[in-house]
Amino acid sequence: MMGTSGAGRYAPSPSGDLHIGNLRTALLAWCFARATGRRFLMRIEDLDRARDAGAATRQLEDLSRIGIDWDGEAVLQSTLGADHDAAIERLRAAGLVYECTCTRADILAAPTAPHAPPGAYPGTCRNRSDADRARERERIAPRRPALRLRVPGETGAPEFSDRMMGRVAGDIDDFVLRRGDGTVAYNLAVVVDDASMGVDQIVRGDDLASSTPRQIVLQRLLELPSPPAVEYAHAPLVLGPTGARLAKRDGAVTLSDLRADGITAADVRSALAQSLHLAAPGERVTADALVERFDPDAVPRTPWTWPGPEKLVTS
């Protein structure tokens, strides 16, 4: 195994217990990092108000139960606000930040460019004068404006090479950096936090692949590491029995639910290993064995359908 000074990471949001799909992505991220000699870091993305105060603790316990370990203490994203503020101020100093008073309904109702994707920001607030911005702030009070990135025209939509998906491109609009309620937006926070933590390998669900070009734009504007110095791998999601993305409405999908049905964390680890082509059907496998066997090229590029607890061990 070749060592590296970089790191991989897993970054759950503490809104509830992790389900099988979350655990599978975490296990995959851990295998990617450990198989390449990287550190593996844990970050709790708690900027939004958590709906469950004890969720972060339970999430970390569940990750440990299936054999995932990490280096150092888990980092709370809410403690990194000074870094987020500094990044926004740097962009503001470069003339790349402006106030936006548009609501989601305003954006959906506004005319957009012919080839823009649905919901793309049409630039309504981009070129307002200082006087117009002052009137807008007064109009929406006590609500506050959001802050958007003025994406430079020459930036374009960067393509990147993804370890799982191949070449990926995405549309770039003037996206939000800080919401009107004062919360830093995901794209800004994740870019700043990954760079400050030394993360150079990002493994996550493919539902986030479309956000990556925006994050690459931020990396470049803030002079932070970006592809190819940062490796991305977006994995297919786990589907429920109806073919939709797996959710808690699909029944017993968390470790605590499954434990009530007599299914152990080791059972879950083995089933996830089988779904990633790291174990034969019914084979019991340790976490260390997963790292030894791990081959990124052998990981399935199609979604895995959750078989349900009754078939979990033998699927």
Side-chain angles (χ1 to χ4, degrees), residues 8 13 18 20 32 60 108 116 129 134 141 143 176 188-189 203 205 214-215 228 239 266 280 292 301 303:
S13 175
L18 299 174
I20 287 292
F32 259 99
L60 296 178
L108 292 174
S129 66
R143 182 168 66 87
V176 171
L188 186 283
V203 181
R214 294 179 173 186
Q215 294 166 23
L239 306 181
E292 294 172 1
R301 267 54 175 176

Side-chain angles (χ1 to χ4, degrees), residues 85-195:
D85 293 342
I88 292 174
E89 287 309 308
R90 180 173 178 176
L91 295 168
R92 193 198 300 272
L96 298 176
V97 177
Y98 64 91
E99 294 181 353
C100 175
T101 57
C102 295
T103 64
R104 189 181 301 257
D106 294 335
I107 295 169
L108 292 174
T112 58
H115 302 294
Y121 185 65
T124 307
C125 300
R126 195 179 215 261
N127 297 315
R128 282 181 170 149
S129 66
D130 289 344
D132 287 340
R133 295 191 197 285
R135 282 191 291 270
E136 280 294 293
R137 284 195 296 271
E138 184 177 354
R139 180 183 66 83
I140 68 168
R143 182 168 66 87
R144 293 180 296 173
L147 299 180
R148 284 188 183 272
L149 178 70
R150 187 188 304 273
V151 177
E154 67 274 14
T155 299
E159 293 187 354
F160 66 100
S161 179
D162 188 273
R163 195 70 177 80
M164 299 284 289
M165 300 176 66
R167 296 298 296 176
V168 179
D171 295 294
I172 302 290
D173 59 0
D174 284 1
F175 53 92
V176 171
L177 301 172
R178 190 189 300 278
R179 301 199 309 244
D181 64 3
T183 303
V184 173
Y186 168 76
N187 286 313
L188 186 283
V190 74
V191 163
V192 172
D193 296 346
D194 283 338

